[in-house]
């Protein structure tokens, strides 16, 4: 009896930390003022929000054999169901699918449970609301913040799976998880507060939300990849467009982008594109599926990296071409190379280390290291240094591309950083003979 009184007294103290802001019907406050008042009420009731969130977490683990261990077991069991369904029954396996589906389940379970708890958070506390005056915004916030703990526990099997089974998937790109989580948290809180308010007036919201959330998950590229959406867009373009509008679509199908990269406005990076560290991608660049970009690469504005060597809209029989009717021709951009503005790199081509493709060039064959190419089709017109400057020969003139010119003096020099290179006729490449001078630009 004494513990119950202590509990009730503690709860009452939290409700009465700060008196609720008075409301008046004389004049309706401006929208920004209402937002400011709401933030002030949240800040003043932060102890109450934290207490209700912790109480909700404890309640979900009560009366069960494993308790809160279900936060780890539940996504693993759900992952097992989908792995059997997709890879065994539907025979649509893909690389590292268990890791793929678990990484999709965790944020979705966080979102779905937050929505379900938020919708009933106000209507489920009807007796408490009638007895005590406090900001009702506290209830959906506490319900949704409590789900963060479940998401954090769910990351444990994900990290363990990556370390033990998929160590090659570990990269610096994982550092973006907190950033993506914050974006999802803001979206979840906003939508949850709106639905909690609507459910006060329309109790059908709770019943409808269960079906909408289930359909929403199936419309997200979790059970399938984004390549399935591309196939679907051929026969059902409207459905494919709706699926791409899903806020969870870009989060789950994003390409692998390294650290310290800069991506310009309206640049398109297709599914499963691999981009290294310190890469600069300028405005309107188009990088399609099958492209691998190593570290330190520059891709100019409007550059296009294709993936179909022999593009056709229809097959030889006149039928509409589908994904199975053509083969991806990969492109590899090696370390430190540069692709000029408006250049086109055709599928199946490799651009060598520190090579430079001139603006507007159309690259149809492999470019050797340090080569400078231009034109349509692109041809080698000279050589460039690692710093990007054009190399000169022993006479001080720009080094030409003809190997016979270097028979007398095969050394090439960079006026900018004093690096020296020697031409190798057998491989038509350069080897560096000396490093840059002290203080020269890299």
């Amino acid at each position: 009896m004494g513990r119950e009184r202590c509990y009730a007294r503690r709860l009452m103290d939290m409700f009465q930390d700060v008196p609720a802001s008075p409301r008046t019907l004389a004049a309706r406050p401006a929208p920004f003022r209402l937002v400011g008042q709401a933030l002030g009420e949240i800040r003043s009731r932060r102890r109450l929000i934290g207490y209700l969130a912790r109480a909700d977490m404890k309640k979900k683990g009560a009366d069960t054999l494993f308790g809160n261990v279900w936060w780890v077991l539940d996504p693993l069991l759900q992952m097992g169901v989908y792995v059997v369904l997709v890879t065994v029954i539907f025979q649509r396996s893909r690389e590292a699918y268990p890791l793929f589906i678990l990484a999709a389940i965790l944020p979705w379970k966080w979102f779905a449970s937050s929505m379900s708890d938020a919708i009933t958070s106000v209507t489920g506390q009807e007796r408490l609301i009638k007895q005590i005056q406090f900001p009702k915004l506290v209830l959906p916030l506490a319900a949704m913040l409590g789900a963060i703990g479940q998401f954090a526990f769910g990351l444990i099997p994900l990290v363990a799976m990556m370390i033990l089974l998929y160590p090659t998937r570990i990269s610096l790109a994982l550092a973006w998880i907190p950033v993506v989580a914050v974006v999802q948290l803001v979206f979840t809180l906003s939508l949850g507060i709106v639905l909690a308010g609507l459910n006060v007036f329309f109790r059908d919201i709770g019943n409808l939300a269960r079906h909408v959330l289930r359909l929403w998950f199936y419309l997200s590229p979790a059970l399938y990849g984004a390549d399935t959406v591309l196939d679907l867009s051929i026969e059902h373009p409207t459905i494919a467009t709706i699926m791409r509008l899903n806020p969870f679509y870009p989060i789950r199908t994003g390409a692998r982008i390294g650290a310290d990269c800069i991506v310009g406005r309206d640049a398109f990076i297709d599914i499963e594109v691999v981009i290294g560290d310190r890469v600069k991608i300028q405005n309107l660049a188009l990088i399609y599926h099958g492209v691998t970009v190593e570290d330190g690469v520059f891709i100019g504005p409007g550059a296009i990296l294709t993936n179909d060597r022999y593009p056709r809209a229809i097959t030889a029989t006149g039928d509409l071409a589908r994904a199975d009717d053509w083969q991806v021709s990969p492109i590899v951009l090696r370390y430190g190379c540069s692709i000029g503005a408006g250049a086109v790199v055709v599928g199946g081509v490799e651009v060598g280390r520190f090579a430079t493709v001139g603006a507007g060039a159309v690259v149809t064959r492999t470019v050797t290291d340090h080569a400078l190419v231009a034109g349509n089709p692109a041809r080698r017109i000279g050589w460039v240094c690692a710093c990007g400057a054009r190399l000169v020969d022993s006479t001080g003139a720009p080094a030409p591309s003809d190997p016979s010119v270097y028979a007398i003096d095969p050394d090439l020099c960079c006026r900018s950083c004093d690096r020296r290179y020697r031409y190798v006729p057998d491989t038509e490449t350069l080897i560096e003979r000396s490093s840059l001078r002290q203080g020269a630009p890299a």
Side-chain angles (χ1 to χ4, degrees), residues 63-328:
D63 300 328
T64 61
L65 180 61
F66 294 102
N68 292 336
V69 178
W70 277 110
W71 295 350
V72 177
L73 293 178
D74 190 64
L76 286 176
L77 293 175
Q78 191 171 350
M79 177 199 72
V81 171
Y82 287 125
V83 167
V84 173
L85 177 67
V86 175
T87 63
V88 178
I89 299 178
F90 292 159
Q91 297 292 320
R92 294 188 62 113
S93 180
R94 57 180 297 161
E95 183 182 1
Y97 185 74
L99 182 64
F100 172 81
I101 189 63
L102 182 60
I105 287 174
L106 289 178
W108 180 256
K109 286 187 65 66
W110 174 23
F111 174 75
S113 62
S114 297
M115 289 298 99
S116 300
D117 294 342
I119 289 173
T120 58
S121 61
V122 178
T123 56
Q125 299 288 351
E126 183 178 358
R127 294 180 58 186
L128 182 64
I129 292 174
K130 292 180 179 180
Q131 295 176 359
I132 305 173
Q133 176 66 23
F134 66 97
K136 312 307 180 292
L137 189 61
V138 165
L139 297 176
L141 282 177
M144 288 183 286
L145 291 178
I148 296 179
Q150 300 179 46
F151 175 71
F153 274 91
L155 291 176
I156 296 176
L158 180 65
V159 173
M161 182 179 294
M162 293 188 68
I163 294 175
L164 299 177
L165 302 178
Y166 304 99
T168 57
R169 299 284 177 168
I170 300 176
S171 67
L172 293 177
L174 296 176
W176 287 99
I177 290 180
V179 179
V180 177
V182 170
V183 174
Q184 179 171 333
L185 176 62
V186 174
F187 175 75
T188 302
L189 291 177
S190 304
L191 184 59
I193 291 173
V194 172
L195 294 180
L198 289 176
N199 192 55
V200 173
F201 303 97
F202 308 100
R203 300 300 173 92
D204 298 327
I205 295 294
N207 296 326
L208 183 62
R210 290 196 297 270
H211 302 285
V212 172
L213 288 173
R214 188 178 297 111
L215 178 62
W216 196 342
F217 178 72
Y218 294 145
L219 289 178
S220 302
L223 299 180
Y224 47 86
D227 50 348
T228 305
V229 181
L230 295 178
D231 294 340
L232 185 65
S233 62
I234 297 176
E235 295 183 356
H236 306 283
T238 303
I239 297 177
T241 301
I242 294 175
M243 295 174 72
R244 291 191 182 99
L245 293 175
N246 181 357
F248 281 85
Y249 180 90
I251 293 177
R252 290 197 177 126
T253 61
R256 293 172 55 187
I257 300 178
D260 300 326
C261 292
I262 299 176
V263 180
R265 178 176 56 85
D266 295 332
F268 173 75
I269 301 176
D270 205 356
I271 59 173
E272 298 182 4
V273 170
V274 179
I275 296 177
D277 300 334
R278 304 179 303 281
V279 174
K280 290 185 178 181
I281 302 174
Q282 301 290 31
N283 300 343
L284 301 173
L286 304 179
I287 306 175
Y288 289 99
H289 172 54
V291 176
T292 299
V293 182
E294 294 186 354
D295 298 345
V297 172
F298 174 87
I299 301 176
I304 302 175
L305 308 179
T306 67
N307 61 1
D308 192 354
R309 192 76 179 181
Y310 308 104
R312 284 288 187 269
I314 58 175
T315 64
T317 59
D319 298 326
L320 188 64
R322 302 180 181 274
D324 296 334
D325 297 324
W326 64 284
Q327 184 176 2
V328 174

Side-chain angles (χ1 to χ4, degrees), residues 369-394:
D369 296 350
H370 293 278
L372 171 62
V373 299
N376 181 10
R379 299 184 182 278
R380 190 171 66 226
I381 61 173
W383 304 90
V384 290
C385 178
C387 69
R390 187 166 183 176
L391 296 175
V392 298
D393 58 17
S394 57

